[in-house]
Amino acid sequence: MNIAVLTSGGDAPGMNAAVRAVVRSAESLGHHVYGVKDGYQGLIDDDMILLDHQSVSGMLSSGGTFLGTARVPKFHDVAYQKKAIEHMKKRDIEALIAIGGDGTYRGAMDLSKLGFKVIGLPGTIDNDIAGTDYTIGFSTAVETIVDALDKLRDTSQSHQRCSIVEVMGRSCGDLALFAGICGGAEFIVTPENPVKKEDIIETLKKHKEKGRRHAIIVVTENMFDVHALAKEITELSGFASRATVLGYIQRGGHPDSEDRILASRMGTYATELLNDGIHGVVVGIRDSQMVHLPFANVVGFPRPKNPLYKLYKKIA
Ligand code: ATP
């Protein structure tokens, strides 16, 4: 069988390790793998290369995605989806493994509805996909944020400041939650755990009165204008405050060991599913076990609120 693999949406550390696992496990089962360039754009443009054992050498530890990724709005159009299938069929490609986030899954589900065999792998730092405990790239991004929080704590403590740190995550607060717990944040403000500005300022005032020297607030993007919040905290709480927007640095870096293992397991599991004739599903990890679920059970479904919020409230 010829299998295509692509990476799409925001890049995430571990995408390369997942492609490597697809290529090597497929080869060991006697299949061939084409790498599609720049996500769905490569399917539209017929831009694919045959990958083999050697061409993914060194990919386990590399960040980003060597196949490239892109946001391709025109892929919503069924005419381009049909063109993508034509280009794959021309090369006798029978199945596609699409690695990305929720949008990537929507594109993959559309191809599946058109009768093409597709499997989705969750590749996004945001951990915002239903049906899996973790996505490829999340663990590495948490490490990156924790490293930044540790450094900001050093300077906040020295200057008796409050640091506000904005992290990615869109509608999912897991990056802020996990990193906030690891970095000992006083406040974790996320879509699942919104906190009023007035409450933050009141609590900080009390902290100041008790003689605390610093505070860290981790905020998911779009919850606050963090620079305006820093100004108000400085004026009203007694803590001089500075905002740091971590931005795209969260997407980069070598995948950590958790992401390398997760990507290797998921990539291998996906090819084994195709080998067993299973498709139209997304791969996930639940309670440390590989699982697969139909696209329709995952796409558009919210993740349940993470139970770690209870822990954070007890130790913040
Ligand atoms: P991340 O979470 O990292 O942003 P993502 O996969 O959600 O990743 P998107 O940009 O939302 O990123 O989606 C990736 C691509 O998937 C889009 O650029 C588009 O080509 C395709 N896509 C998104 N939504 C749809 C849809 N409803 N129908 C068809 N294709 C879609």
Side-chain angles (χ1 to χ4, degrees), residues 18-41:
V19 172
R20 173 184 180 272
V22 167
V23 171
R24 296 214 168 157
S25 60
E27 255 190 14
S28 72
L29 292 166
H31 306 304
H32 301 288
V33 176
Y34 282 86
V36 182
K37 296 288 187 70
D38 301 325
Y40 293 123
Q41 190 64 51

Side-chain angles (χ1 to χ4, degrees), residues 8-10 40 71-72 75-76 101-104 106-107 110 124 170:
S8 162
Y40 293 123
R71 306 213 189 251
V72 189
F75 203 68
H76 291 234
D102 188 66
T104 302
R106 286 173 197 271
D110 286 352
T124 167
R170 295 205 287 199

